[in-house]
Amino acid sequence: MSTPRPTHLDHPGRAVWLRRDAEQVSGALPPLLAEAERLARTVSMGLHGRKRAGPGEDFWQYRHAMPGDVLDQVDWRRSARSDGLFIREKEWQAAQTVALWVDPSRAMDYRSADAPRSKAERARLIALALAILLNRSGERVSLLGVDPPLPPRSGPAQLSRMAMALTAQDDDRPDYGRPPDGPMPRGGRAVFLSDFMGARDELFAGLASAAQRGVSGCFVQILDESEETFPFDGRTVFRSVGGSVRFETQRARALRDAYQARLAQRRAELQDVARRTGWQCLFHRTSESPRKALLWLYMALGGQD
């Protein structure tokens, strides 16, 4: 049975029709969208939004006047009730753009026997839940690395487009992913969710390319718990999910220290790239609650880290 390809929608009503059709064809879209909504709801409770001072019409807060403020900014009525001068700040209302990339490679399909989800399933859930939160805050979101591309938009129709694109499966997927070279608005923000286990040169070139465009954001490395703890012992055959790599050993446990050292090196490299580019880096495993990663991302993008 074929999976519906991602489609652009120009009217919110069409999103409902297409969502219903997708449910009849694959049954994949409603569970993902519903679960993402539930996850976003658990994070939005207790948060006070992502307000910041800037040009706009709506009142945000009062603050004490500081050197450099002009008299036109002073709220004299509020200042008359105290001994100091107060500035009336308005809420920043310019919509920002956040580009999301969810690694579509076959390596992300890995899931150990005791894992609740594959890496790909966890990445899609976090990405869509983050898009829901950003949309509620008035942000525009886009999805990178999909065909056709999803340019920055807001609203429920965009969330439906993203859900369909995330649940569509391409048979011609690479074994390991690298961030795409697609357009990202200069000065915008981006979130890359991947295991970041591909070839070093290709991977880090993609990460650096985004930063060179003036884009800031977050790397989220998602791993299965077994990829961290390396619980293998005795005769073991290791195969990449795509089948391009095969390695057999009679003493898997003897490889644990070397493997974990390589993993630590890769993570140190990711952190170094993040430091040099002004990005932030999070390490997440599928055995952890997705709420923790989602809250971290939401606060990091809002500059509240």
Side-chain angles (χ1 to χ4, degrees):
M1 182 177 295
S2 62
T3 305
R5 296 183 64 80
T7 305
H8 284 291
L9 304 172
D10 298 321
H11 190 279
R14 293 184 61 191
V16 177
W17 304 336
L18 201 50
R19 187 186 307 176
R20 182 187 58 202
D21 292 342
E23 181 178 3
Q24 294 173 351
V25 173
S26 67
L29 175 56
L32 174 62
L33 200 54
E35 186 174 8
E37 286 278 6
R38 289 194 297 270
L39 177 58
R41 197 176 304 121
T42 66
V43 169
S44 62
M45 292 178 179
L47 289 178
H48 299 290
R50 295 151 52 79
K51 294 183 178 180
R52 52 191 180 275
E57 299 297 331
D58 296 336
F59 168 74
W60 176 26
Q61 66 178 6
Y62 291 110
R63 66 169 174 81
H64 288 282
M66 298 180 296
D69 289 331
V70 298
L71 289 177
D72 289 347
Q73 295 176 306
V74 175
D75 188 296
W76 296 105
R77 179 177 298 179
R78 173 64 182 86
S79 300
R81 300 200 303 267
S82 64
D83 295 331
L85 297 180
F86 283 84
I87 301 297
R88 181 184 179 92
E89 289 190 325
K90 297 178 181 179
E91 179 185 351
W92 177 273
Q93 293 179 333
Q96 302 293 297
T97 296
V98 180
L100 305 176
W101 175 66
V102 178
D103 186 348
S105 67
R106 297 182 185 276
M108 293 293 288
D109 293 339
Y110 177 70
R111 174 183 177 182
S112 60
D114 298 329
R117 295 289 180 87
S118 70
K119 295 182 290 185
E121 290 171 328
R122 176 56 56 83
R124 290 194 292 262
L125 174 62
I126 292 174
L128 190 55
L130 179 61
I132 291 171
L133 288 177
L134 294 171
N135 180 69
R136 290 175 182 171
S137 298
E139 314 272 10
R140 296 190 302 264
V141 290
S142 66
L143 190 61
L144 303 176
V146 296
D147 183 25
L150 292 180
R153 292 180 181 175
S154 59
Q158 179 74 340
L159 298 176
S160 292
R161 296 185 195 105
M162 295 182 66
M164 291 196 66
L166 289 170
T167 52
Q169 292 292 324
D170 186 353
D171 293 335
D172 188 25
R173 293 184 294 154
D175 275 7
Y176 295 95
R178 59 160 289 177
D181 295 325
M184 285 179 278
R186 179 168 295 275
R189 291 162 295 162
V191 175
F192 295 162
L193 300 103
S194 172
D195 59 8
F196 297 108
M197 299 287 269
R200 184 189 185 283
D201 291 343
E202 292 185 2
L203 173 64
F204 286 93
L207 298 180
S209 176
Q212 289 169 359
R213 295 188 180 100
V215 176
S216 62
C218 306
F219 308 137
V220 183
Q221 185 188 51
I222 299 178
L223 294 183
D224 187 279
E225 185 168 353
S226 67
E227 293 177 306
E228 291 189 348
T229 61
F230 201 84
F232 311 105
D233 194 11
R235 179 182 179 274
T236 307
V237 178
F238 297 97
R239 295 189 184 90
S240 63
V241 178
S244 63
V245 178
R246 184 184 185 280
F247 178 77
E248 180 176 352
T249 180
Q250 300 296 323
R251 297 187 304 156
R253 180 180 295 182
L255 303 175
R256 183 179 301 161
D257 290 345
Y259 168 84
Q260 292 181 331
R262 289 286 296 274
L263 176 60
Q265 179 182 5
R266 174 55 58 90
R267 287 184 159 179
E269 291 172 338
L270 284 171
Q271 289 176 317
D272 182 61
V273 171
R275 280 193 297 268
R276 287 189 285 106
T277 59
W279 285 47
Q280 299 186 62
C281 189
L282 174 68
F283 302 124
H284 177 74
R285 61 168 63 176
T286 57
S287 58
E288 297 175 328
S289 168
R291 184 183 185 277
K292 179 181 178 181
L294 179 60
L295 180 59
W296 183 91
L297 277 170
Y298 187 74
M299 302 298 279
L301 289 175
Q304 306 175 49
D305 57 330

